[in-house]
């Protein structure tokens, strides 16, 4: 594999989806344990990528999701329920975004905006 140019490496670190963090560092960053990260992985809230050596690697995007679940768990919610809540919140946000997009689209195209 050819060595990366410094600018390409920096671009990847700016990418929210780039799996830059080891399990230990990721757990430290969100104030959790590696066991917590394994548990939310088992609950399918996030799926870490694997390094060539098979170690879990996390992106900043995944860490933001994990931190949301950790906040719920810290408030007394069981891990599985916290994961389901985060998933449902994200689905609701996406549905609301799509609904708004569809509501605005007819007005832009000259069609009826409301029925």
């Amino acid at each position: 594999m050819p060595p990366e140019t410094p600018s390409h490496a920096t671009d990847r670190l700016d990418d929210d989806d780039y799996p830059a963090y080891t399990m230990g560092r990721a757990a430290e960053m969100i104030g959790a344990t590696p066991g917590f990260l394994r548990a939310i992985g088992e609950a399918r809230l996030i799926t870490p990528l694997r390094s060539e050596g098979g170690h879990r690697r996390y992106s900043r995007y995944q860490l933001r999701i994990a931190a949301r679940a950790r906040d719920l768990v810290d408030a007394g919610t069981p891990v599985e329920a916290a994961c389901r809540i985060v998933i449902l919140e994200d689905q609701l946000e996406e549905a609301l975004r799509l609904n708004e997009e569809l509501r605005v689209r007819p007005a832009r195209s000259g069609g009826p905006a409301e029925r």
Side-chain angles (χ1 to χ4, degrees):
M1 185 176 239
E4 294 184 36
T5 61
S7 64
H8 181 66
T10 302
D11 291 345
R12 288 180 26 179
L13 292 176
D14 290 338
D15 181 358
D16 267 0
D17 294 319
Y18 180 69
Y21 304 101
T22 63
M23 177 180 275
R25 179 69 178 126
E28 178 183 312
M29 288 174 70
I30 66 165
T33 64
F36 175 78
L37 289 175
R38 280 190 291 276
I40 64 173
E42 289 170 11
R44 299 178 195 244
L45 178 61
I46 59 174
T47 303
L49 287 139
R50 298 282 181 153
S51 69
E52 289 180 16
H55 299 283
R56 290 175 179 91
R57 305 287 292 193
Y58 297 88
S59 68
R60 287 188 297 199
Y61 173 74
Q62 290 174 320
L63 294 183
R64 283 194 299 273
I65 293 171
R68 289 171 52 201
R70 192 219 56 232
D71 289 343
L72 289 167
V73 169
D74 288 350
T77 306
V79 171
E80 297 81 13
C83 292
R84 187 69 182 140
I85 289 167
V86 171
I87 290 167
L88 289 170
E89 287 174 343
D90 286 350
Q91 288 174 344
L92 175 60
E93 183 179 325
E94 177 67 6
L96 292 171
R97 185 192 65 75
L98 288 172
N99 192 16
E100 183 60 26
E101 183 180 305
L102 291 172
R103 187 177 292 127
V104 172
R105 188 180 301 160
R108 289 185 186 157
S109 65
E114 296 285 330
R115 289 187 180 203

